[in-house]
Amino acid sequence: HGLLLLTNDGKLAHALLSPKRHVDKTYLAHVKGIMTQEDVETFAKGIPLKDFTCQPARLELVSIDPEKNQSQIRVTIAEGKFHQVKRMVAYCGKEIVDLQRLTMGTLVLDENLERGEWRRLTKEELEALRASIAQFSLYSKKVGRISLPFMFFSCLLCEKSY
């Protein structure tokens, strides 16, 4: 759950989601187990998984509850491969029990949205998003006009106009 961008603009989606594009995505995770400063350093070095080695990532310890053997962490990654955050935490010997995406590039989850609610992106959000991905040759302003997107199920929806 969390921030989800829904769009019919494939080039925009690719520019944001492709692991090769290195768009930062930030997650809030509830973890079974105690995350440590050693884990922070492991994330910063990059984690070798079975099928690839993760790029260095930022791990922030938000809260630790030793009595319940739980941690709350904030993780920022630039790749976004299949179950990457869960796999990185598992590498450290812990388990994610809840994961919420907070940001994707310049987009930030609207704190006023309840789970299941949605809204369109504002013009300012869309312009910032366009500017942030303009550096990628796959997406340019000349591709087409994008109408104001939605935020839905605590997510964003972007429609490409034809």
Side-chain angles (χ1 to χ4, degrees):
H1 62 100
L3 178 67
L4 178 63
L5 179 67
L6 300 178
T7 180
N8 63 354
D9 185 338
K11 290 181 181 183
L12 172 66
H14 183 75
L16 286 171
L17 299 175
S18 173
K20 294 178 182 178
R21 299 293 173 205
H22 308 292
V23 175
D24 281 352
K25 297 156 196 77
T26 301
Y27 299 84
L28 182 65
H30 295 273
V31 177
K32 182 178 177 183
I34 303 299
M35 298 296 288
T36 65
Q37 187 60 39
E38 183 178 323
D39 297 327
V40 172
E41 294 164 11
T42 299
F43 271 61
K45 292 176 186 172
I47 294 177
L49 299 177
K50 186 169 62 173
D51 50 339
F52 72 101
T53 298
C54 300
Q55 290 184 358
R58 189 171 54 248
L59 170 64
E60 178 188 345
L61 305 175
V62 176
S63 65
I64 305 294
D65 187 341
E67 288 182 16
K68 293 183 179 178
N69 191 36
Q70 294 178 348
S71 305
Q72 187 176 43
I73 60 173
R74 189 172 292 116
V75 178
T76 301
I77 60 174
E79 293 168 297
K81 294 188 178 183
F82 186 71
H83 291 289
Q84 182 176 339
V85 175
K86 291 179 181 181
R87 294 172 66 194
M88 292 171 76
V89 169
Y91 178 87
C92 296
K94 287 86 175 182
E95 177 187 0
I96 288 185
V97 293
D98 186 58
L99 185 65
Q100 178 183 23
R101 185 184 297 136
L102 301 175
T103 71
M104 184 184 332
T106 60
L107 300 176
V108 178
L109 180 62
D110 187 333
E111 294 178 359
N112 296 317
L113 285 179
E114 295 294 327
R115 201 171 192 174
E117 291 184 326
W118 61 273
R119 71 164 176 81
R120 288 185 179 267
L121 286 177
T122 65
K123 266 189 177 171
E124 293 77 19
E125 288 170 324
L126 186 54
E127 288 170 6
L129 181 61
R130 280 182 173 161
S132 73
I133 63 172
Q135 63 184 320
F136 304 124
S137 61
L138 284 175
Y139 189 84
S140 93
K141 293 179 183 176
K142 295 179 182 177
V143 170
R145 191 175 69 80
I146 299 175
S147 64
L148 289 180
F150 296 93
M151 189 173 275
F152 177 74
F153 183 65
S154 300
C155 70
L156 303 171
L157 176 63
C158 177
E159 296 177 276
K160 182 176 176 183
S161 296
Y162 294 97

